[in-house]
Amino acid sequence: MASEKTVVAVTCTAPVNIAVIKYWGKRDEDLVLPINSSLSVTLHQDQLRTTTTAAISKDFTEDRIWLNGLEEDVGQPRLQACLREIRRLARKRRSAGDEDPVALGLSYKVHIASVNNFPTAAGLASSAAGYACLAYTLARVYGVESDLSEVARRGSGSACRSLYGGFVEWQMGERADGKDSIARQVAPESHWPELRVLILVVSAEKKPMGSTTGMRTSVETSPLLRFRAESVVPARMAEMTRCVQERDFPGFAQLTMKDSNQFHATCLDTFPPISYLSDTSWRIVHLVHRFNAHHRQTQVAYTFDAGPNAVVFALHDTVPEFVAAVRHCFPPESNGDKFLKGLPVPPVPLSDELKAALDVDPTPGGIKYIIATQVGPGPQILEDPRAHLLGPDGLPKPAA
Ligand code: DP6
């Protein structure tokens, strides 16, 4: 067992991100290089975050990892790729400077503990926050200061976008070695303070096919995906960047919906076809379009990843009425008071005109709950040692 003094521990948090121009398809599976660039919004860590502690000690005899309190196989290829990559960067730094290799702890084994503050069962993408947090925390432990896109990306492609706050692009790059496939901030989290994000957690009937397998099949079989990557996404990246920079909500919202729809169209164009959207997802799509049509203005946008949950964007002033519309279409079943989590949203009545315009047969329980959040910052270091998930012995603290 390690003695207290010999354990060096660092704890960091990292955010979830949601893509508005989607990443779908790799040109290099090993290096995790995408076939197109993508752009995402970083969500606030007050509502959704991963916390990770990494500890090194000369007394540890093997690398170990605990996720949400349970020990997992440290031999998973993606985890191994991240560990290899960060140790390579640390070695590079050591050989470039005059750091003491022992101080860098390069020969030491690492213990890692990671927890999410949101339920994994909700089917919210946790791998992006998880691998971004792992890369960021390991970098602090090993004293690596270079760009961490490559480390995070090797865990999960979308994770490199969680290394920054605000609005983030992942440039696909051109090089075969992936050195120019990096994440970059387009605008900071303070840029668009009125923007709000609602996560509509739907009741999932089945576990959807994972992104990695899904996108591999799409790359192999979908001509639409190739067309999208080559002929659609480049112009969309430029247009989305403009919408963000100019805070053009209708432009941002329309392009977000179109890109989500095209991503799901490439899934349907995959052979055998992949379908991530459920009946409830489609009801949300129709609700958003009817809400916008009623207002004769694009005030709300949806986007869906590789699962049935919707992520909805709206400006601050629109949120109360939209939430009332969601409650009308999907009456909460048993947990009426717990239906809305996160940022407070004042209740407002729904006008008879809007009710009529929505024109729905309500689906009780179709949406389990809503998480209301906003754009947030990138990874953070927690300086307070009480935040460590690993105790002085290098094992998870009981509460972790
Ligand atoms: C639909 O990053 O989870 O969420 O690189 O294979 O781990 P791997 O895939 P992952 O894919 C995310 C796909 C998406 C769109 C996006 O986030 O851009």
Side-chain angles (χ1 to χ4, degrees):
M1 186 175 290
S3 71
E4 198 159 335
K5 281 190 274 331
T6 60
V7 176
V8 177
V10 178
T11 300
C12 301
T13 66
V16 167
N17 74 78
I18 177 80
V20 290
I21 300 293
K22 303 290 186 195
Y23 148 54
W24 196 251
K26 298 181 186 69
R27 63 180 200 273
D28 186 317
E29 292 255 348
D30 243 14
L31 298 177
V32 190
L33 301 179
I35 59 168
N36 60 259
S37 297
S38 54
L39 200 148
S40 61
V41 177
T42 297
L43 306 188
H44 206 289
Q45 295 177 53
D46 281 354
Q47 281 74 41
L48 302 161
R49 69 172 173 274
T50 297
T51 305
T52 300
T53 298
I56 51 173
S57 167
K58 69 171 171 27
D59 298 333
F60 295 164
T61 53
E62 53 183 347
D63 292 335
R64 294 176 76 180
I65 186 163
W66 291 264
L67 300 182
N68 293 310
L70 295 176
E71 182 153 21
E72 302 267 336
D73 175 16
V74 81
Q76 299 165 52
R78 286 170 167 225
L79 185 58
Q80 284 298 317
C82 291
L83 283 169
R84 235 185 357 256
E85 196 52 33
I86 200 81
R87 284 171 170 149
R88 187 184 64 79
L89 290 173
R91 218 168 286 124
K92 205 165 109 188
R93 200 193 134 173
R94 187 191 73 186
S95 56
D98 52 5
E99 295 276 351
D100 172 11
V102 178
L104 283 170
L106 263 174
S107 54
Y108 296 176
K109 300 295 180 193
V110 65
H111 284 192
I112 299 159
S114 194
V115 295
N116 295 327
N117 72 337
F118 53 93
T120 324
L124 302 171
S126 55
S127 66
Y131 280 110
C133 207
L134 180 72
Y136 197 81
T137 312
L138 289 175
R140 295 296 161 301
V141 165
Y142 288 116
V144 170
E145 281 163 9
S146 50
D147 184 85
L148 298 175
S149 295
E150 182 158 9
V151 186
R153 210 183 63 214
R154 297 292 282 266
S156 191
S158 55
C160 69
R161 298 186 314 238
S162 275
L163 291 170
Y164 300 96
F167 302 81
V168 183
E169 71 173 323
W170 173 13
Q171 300 170 340
M172 64 178 286
E174 289 173 356
R175 289 173 54 151
D177 65 3
K179 293 284 177 253
D180 56 353
S181 189
I182 51 169
R184 191 189 73 92
Q185 189 178 62
V186 171
E189 59 272 22
S190 56
H191 171 71
W192 202 346
E194 303 82 18
L195 194 63
R196 292 291 176 275
V197 186
L198 301 172
I199 303 167
L200 311 188
V201 179
V202 313
S203 317
E205 304 120 46
K206 56 176 171 50
K207 193 175 164 22
M209 180 191 288
S211 306
T212 308
T213 319
M215 69 176 78
R216 183 182 304 136
T217 318
S218 296
V219 168
E220 283 165 2
T221 63
S222 168
L224 178 58
L225 181 64
R226 182 184 294 255
F227 172 74
R228 162 179 165 73
E230 288 170 4
S231 307
V232 181
V233 173
R236 283 191 175 177
M237 284 296 292
E239 174 63 5
M240 188 57 92
T241 304
R242 181 199 67 75
C243 291
V244 168
Q245 275 163 357
E246 295 176 8
R247 292 184 282 265
D248 168 2
F249 187 82
F252 169 85
Q254 282 165 29
L255 194 49
T256 294
M257 292 188 279
K258 286 178 184 173
D259 203 70
S260 173
N261 293 342
Q262 188 174 77
F263 152 51
H264 291 279
T266 67
C267 291
L268 210 53
D269 190 46
T270 298
F271 198 78
I274 307 169
S275 153
Y276 288 121
L277 304 181
S278 67
D279 289 352
T280 304
S281 313
W282 280 108
R283 287 194 183 97
I284 296 166
V285 168
H286 297 311
L287 161 64
V288 167
H289 284 290
R290 285 178 185 154
F291 187 95
N292 288 337
H294 171 76
H295 288 289
R296 293 184 185 25
Q297 205 185 28
T298 307
Q299 295 190 349
V300 186
Y302 53 78
T303 184
F304 298 85
D305 281 343
N309 293 330
V311 176
V312 166
F313 292 98
L315 295 179
H316 173 75
D317 290 349
T318 312
V319 170
E321 190 184 37
F322 183 74
V323 168
V326 170
R327 277 183 190 274
H328 171 73
C329 298
F330 304 96
E333 251 173 358
S334 52
N335 59 347
D337 54 330
K338 296 201 193 98
F339 188 64
L340 193 69
K341 302 172 197 284
L343 297 177
V345 178
V348 294
L350 211 56
S351 72
D352 289 338
E353 293 76 29
L354 180 51
K355 262 186 215 164
L358 294 176
D359 187 29
V360 288
D361 291 330
T363 314
I367 293 181
K368 277 197 285 193
Y369 56 89
I370 302 177
I371 305 171
T373 184
Q374 57 193 335
V375 187
Q380 318 270 315
I381 305 180
L382 302 183
E383 303 288 354
D384 185 347
R386 282 172 301 184
H388 293 328
L389 302 171
L390 296 167
D393 56 356
L395 298 174
K397 290 181 185 168

